[in-house]
Amino acid sequence: MDGSGTSDGGDGGGSLRPMDAEQLRECGHRMVDFIADYYKSMETFPVLSQVQPGYLKELLPDSAPNQPDTLDALFDDIREKMIPGVTHWQSPSYFAYYPSNSSTAGFLGEMLSAAFNIVGFSWITSPAATELEVIVLDWFAKMLKLPSQFLSDVPGGGVIQGTASEAVLVVLLAARDRTLKKHGKKSLEKLVVYASDQTHSALQKACQIAGIFPENFRVVKADCSKNYAVAPEAVTEAISIDLSSGLIPFFICATVGTTSSSAVDPLPELGNIAQGHDMWFHIDAAYAGSACICPEYRHHLDGVEKADSFNMNAHKWFLTNFDCSLLWVKDRSYLVEALSTNPEFLKNKASQANSVVDFKDWQIPLGRRFR
């Protein structure tokens, strides 16, 4: 049924052909009705799926069907086979992990995005997709009262990543290459990363991917007397020990809203430490960043002016469908130098400043959705 109709009105037989506009209209209305009914009755379902691993294999055939199914039959399959295996993340009784709340307005936007099916890796592949993203990221930066260096005027800017894990990886790569350019490529084994023991595990995974030696990932114990924020003195001490050993401190990650305790690290102090040692300072506000739009919580971002990069997840508190993680950098040239595969483009920084934005050079994948 997905993407095609049948020659005989959809009874499951006949040759395949694309849906026409009227069939799409009819099926689309029925799908919206199905989703609206699901949202209306969602709280009646058990939040956590009760099925056992492998349950679906017993309910589906061993090979793909040879003929399309009717929409009614598909709805029956979804009700009887899929919904029992769904954990209902949008349920009002769902309290696991972080909130990942979508909205009905966000769902309508997803419909439109799916209809266009844009692969917007460069400006020319759909100018509207790139330019709208640039503008909306600037709007969001202004709502958060981020420093003007994070706006799309050269050299900064914002970009949508899939998750905060992707965001921290790309800025770690940018920081790594910036440091190796200064100290030499053979210095990789000396590079050291610093974070609290409350920092999300995504940073450790990013270090593994970026080639940072495991023994050079410093986990600094948080201070329980300060609501589990990291103590700047402990970070300074760890850096001093590493410097005396001939290592190169190059990256500090602070968190605004840690996973286990929603702790907020002292951004001004950590920013001063990073600047004092020419280190990249990244702020992971994936969880609590949305709250900082509110004037009464904006003080949690005091010190962001010292950061090289800032990230928050719109797909958590901001009622935006997953995946939508927002990343801003003060100097996008470092991202492009670390991630672009166009050597001619990299030779001339002036060309970066004067050219259109190609977001493929700001992320790990080539392709990207119109988010």
Side-chain angles (χ1 to χ4, degrees):
M1 183 69 203
D2 188 9
S4 62
T6 59
S7 60
D8 51 7
D11 64 358
S15 60
L16 290 171
R17 68 183 183 190
M19 285 187 188
D20 60 30
E22 292 311 311
Q23 287 175 315
L24 174 62
R25 195 184 312 277
E26 177 189 352
C27 292
H29 277 270
R30 294 182 65 191
M31 183 62 74
V32 170
D33 286 343
F34 182 89
I35 293 170
D37 288 343
Y38 167 71
Y39 270 80
K40 187 176 180 179
S41 60
M42 186 187 305
E43 57 191 284
T44 66
F45 295 110
V47 177
L48 181 65
S49 172
Q50 305 299 307
V51 301
Q52 297 299 312
Y55 89 99
L56 196 56
K57 188 175 182 180
E58 303 299 321
L59 301 176
L60 296 181
D62 291 334
S63 57
N66 292 322
Q67 298 293 335
D69 224 336
T70 64
L71 192 59
D72 285 331
L74 287 176
F75 283 147
D76 287 341
D77 279 347
I78 293 168
R79 292 187 190 97
E80 296 168 10
K81 301 172 183 176
M82 300 308 300
I83 287 182
V86 169
T87 293
H88 300 278
W89 282 62
Q90 305 311 312
S91 169
S93 299
Y94 181 92
F95 299 110
Y97 307 110
Y98 280 144
S100 188
N101 302 115
S102 64
S103 60
T104 48
F107 155 67
L108 294 175
E110 286 288 307
M111 286 178 61
L112 190 59
S113 175
F116 287 135
N117 198 30
I118 290 167
V119 185
F121 54 84
S122 63
W123 179 86
I124 194 61
T125 60
S126 272
T130 295
E131 296 198 12
L132 181 61
E133 185 165 335
V134 169
I135 291 167
V136 172
L137 268 289
D138 278 352
W139 288 351
F140 213 115
K142 292 173 183 177
M143 290 165 63
L144 287 165
K145 292 184 170 55
L146 297 183
S148 59
Q149 297 97 313
F150 285 113
L151 300 179
S152 61
D153 299 332
V154 174
V159 59
I160 298 176
Q161 302 284 337
T163 66
S165 301
E166 295 173 46
V168 74
L169 173 59
V170 297
V171 296
L172 184 69
L173 292 171
R176 180 200 66 183
D177 286 8
R178 184 184 74 169
T179 305
L180 293 178
K181 194 172 183 179
K182 177 180 178 182
H183 294 276
K185 293 182 179 180
K186 294 183 179 179
S187 300
L188 179 61
E189 64 184 22
K190 296 182 178 181
L191 302 188
V192 187
V193 173
Y194 301 84
S196 158
D197 60 3
Q198 305 296 302
T199 302
H200 195 280
S201 61
L203 178 59
Q204 183 177 358
K205 182 179 288 188
C207 288
Q208 293 171 203
I209 296 171
I212 305 303
F213 283 35
E215 60 268 27
N216 290 347
F217 179 63
R218 297 286 176 266
V219 179
V220 182
K221 189 173 179 58
D223 189 340
C224 61
S225 68
K226 297 181 179 179
N227 294 321
Y228 291 94
V230 71
E233 301 81 11
V235 176
T236 298
E237 181 182 359
I239 290 174
S240 298
I241 293 172
D242 288 332
L243 285 171
S244 65
S245 301
L247 298 175
I248 304 172
F250 85 104
F251 191 92
I252 297 178
C253 180
T255 306
V256 177
T258 59
T259 302
S260 61
S261 56
S262 198
V264 178
D265 288 330
L267 305 186
E269 293 86 347
L270 294 177
N272 287 336
I273 293 170
Q275 289 181 348
H277 295 283
D278 193 25
M279 301 170 68
W280 188 288
F281 182 36
H282 176 65
I283 296 175
D284 174 5
Y287 173 46
S290 296
C292 297
I293 292 171
C294 303
E296 62 269 32
Y297 298 119
R298 174 55 180 77
H299 66 277
H300 291 303
L301 296 187
D302 289 350
V304 68
E305 66 277 1
K306 301 177 187 296
D308 296 281
S309 51
F310 176 86
N311 169 234
M312 58 82 60
N313 284 351
H315 63 238
K316 285 193 166 71
W317 284 8
F318 212 66
L319 302 179
T320 302
N321 292 57
F322 185 84
D323 51 359
C324 189
S325 185
L326 312 182
L327 171 68
W328 289 269
V329 291
K330 277 186 179 175
D331 190 340
R332 64 193 189 216
S333 69
Y334 291 118
L335 278 186
V336 174
E337 288 179 20
L339 300 170
S340 177
T341 56
N342 184 346
E344 293 303 316
F345 185 65
L346 296 177
K347 287 180 182 177
N348 186 0
K349 278 197 174 184
S351 69
Q352 297 178 35
N354 298 322
S355 68
V356 296
V357 171
D358 288 337
F359 279 131
K360 66 181 175 60
D361 297 325
W362 296 42
Q363 62 178 23
I364 300 301
L366 174 68
R368 64 199 325 268
R369 299 197 305 122
F370 184 14
R371 287 175 289 201

